[in-house]
């Protein structure tokens, strides 16, 4: 009849095959939630959770220029961090109001650092609600500069830019503004 023999090569081959199959399956399932051009958390595709600052900017029709600038500057990771952050987000018209050719020049790869600095000057490492933005209040920006809040005719201005609206995000607050901060 058949004689039972222990074959270690066959056993190790089966174990190796199973380990490879399980590892490969786990890699496939975890990568299905990450975009192909991954930038850490900025590359995660999540349609269930409340949006973070980057996701809100990317989905806003009024902020397509800002979203393109964020990508060109490579600062997506900053806007998905836990925060808290306050971002003063210029609308497309604010970028359009800059001198002709400014946006196109800033979007060039050789100006990436300059663009990142300009965009970073629109963020504060804190969560500032509208009620905190009182006349004369000084806001510390991520670039180390301070800007002042002014109240005029019932409207709130930061660094001369009028706040048009406010949106809450999971990692902070976005104040939509009508001007680009240039220092």
């Amino acid at each position: 009849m058949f004689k039972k023999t222990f074959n270690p090569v066959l056993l190790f081959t089966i174990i190796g095959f199973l380990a490879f199959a399980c590892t490969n399956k786990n890699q496939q399932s975890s990568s299905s939630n990450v975009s192909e051009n991954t930038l850490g958390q900025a590359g995660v595709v999540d349609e269930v959770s409340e949006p973070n600052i980057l996701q809100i900017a990317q989905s806003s029709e009024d902020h397509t220029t800002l979203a393109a600038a964020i990508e060109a500057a490579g600062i997506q990771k900053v806007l998905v961090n836990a925060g808290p952050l306050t971002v003063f987000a210029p609308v497309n018209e604010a970028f359009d109001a800059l001198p002709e050719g400014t946006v196109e020049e800033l979007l060039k790869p050789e100006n990436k650092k300059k663009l990142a600095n300009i965009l970073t000057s629109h963020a504060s490492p804190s969560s500032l609600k509208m009620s905190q933005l009182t006349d004369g209040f000084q806001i510390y920006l991520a670039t180390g500069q301070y800007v002042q809040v002014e109240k005029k005719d019932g409207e709130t201005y930061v660094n001369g830019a009028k706040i048009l609206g406010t949106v809450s995000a999971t990692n902070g607050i976005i104040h939509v503004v009508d001007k680009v901060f240039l220092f």
Side-chain angles (χ1 to χ4, degrees), residues 17-39:
F17 176 77
L18 290 174
F20 175 78
C22 290
T23 303
N24 192 26
K25 183 178 179 182
N26 287 341
Q27 288 174 347
Q28 288 174 350
S29 66
S30 66
S31 66
S32 65
N33 291 331
V34 179
S35 70
E36 205 159 304
N37 185 9
T38 302
L39 291 168

Side-chain angles (χ1 to χ4, degrees), residues 9-24:
V9 174
L10 179 60
L11 178 64
F12 286 120
T13 303
I14 292 171
I15 291 173
F17 176 77
L18 290 174
F20 175 78
C22 290
T23 303
N24 192 26

Side-chain angles (χ1 to χ4, degrees), residues 2 4 7-8 12-14 18 26 29 58-59 69 75 84 96 101 131 133-134 160 182:
F2 295 103
K4 290 185 180 182
N7 187 339
F12 286 120
T13 303
I14 292 171
L18 290 174
N26 287 341
S29 66
Q58 290 174 331
S59 67
I75 62 168
D96 293 343
S131 61
L133 301 179
T134 58
L182 294 176

Side-chain angles (χ1 to χ4, degrees), residues 7-109:
N7 187 339
V9 174
L10 179 60
L11 178 64
F12 286 120
T13 303
I14 292 171
I15 291 173
F17 176 77
L18 290 174
F20 175 78
C22 290
T23 303
N24 192 26
K25 183 178 179 182
N26 287 341
Q27 288 174 347
Q28 288 174 350
S29 66
S30 66
S31 66
S32 65
N33 291 331
V34 179
S35 70
E36 205 159 304
N37 185 9
T38 302
L39 291 168
Q41 291 179 350
V44 175
V45 177
D46 178 5
E47 297 174 4
V48 179
S49 301
E50 293 296 317
N52 59 45
I53 290 171
L54 178 64
Q55 292 166 330
I56 291 170
Q58 290 174 331
S59 67
S60 170
E61 291 179 17
D62 294 324
H63 293 93
T64 56
T65 306
L66 177 62
I70 290 166
E71 187 173 331
I75 62 168
Q76 299 95 319
K77 289 180 182 179
V78 175
L79 299 175
V80 298
N81 286 337
L85 293 172
T86 296
V87 172
F88 299 96
V91 292
N92 293 336
E93 291 80 14
F95 286 99
D96 293 343
L98 294 174
E100 188 174 329
T102 301
V103 173
E104 293 76 17
E105 188 66 26
L106 288 171
L107 292 175
K108 291 181 178 178

Side-chain angles (χ1 to χ4, degrees), residues 69-159:
I70 290 166
E71 187 173 331
I75 62 168
Q76 299 95 319
K77 289 180 182 179
V78 175
L79 299 175
V80 298
N81 286 337
L85 293 172
T86 296
V87 172
F88 299 96
V91 292
N92 293 336
E93 291 80 14
F95 286 99
D96 293 343
L98 294 174
E100 188 174 329
T102 301
V103 173
E104 293 76 17
E105 188 66 26
L106 288 171
L107 292 175
K108 291 181 178 178
E110 61 267 21
N111 293 324
K112 183 176 182 175
K113 187 175 180 178
K114 183 177 182 179
L115 179 59
N117 190 55
I118 289 170
L119 295 174
T120 304
S121 75
H122 288 77
S124 177
S126 59
S127 190
L128 300 169
K129 298 176 182 175
M130 279 297 287
S131 61
Q132 295 172 282
L133 301 179
T134 58
D135 195 41
F137 185 76
Q138 295 282 317
I139 299 172
Y140 177 77
L141 301 175
T143 53
Q145 298 149 306
Y146 285 87
V147 292
Q148 187 164 338
V149 175
E150 291 180 88
K151 295 281 190 168
K152 294 188 274 185
D153 301 323
E155 304 288 346
T156 304
Y157 294 80
V158 174
N159 196 36

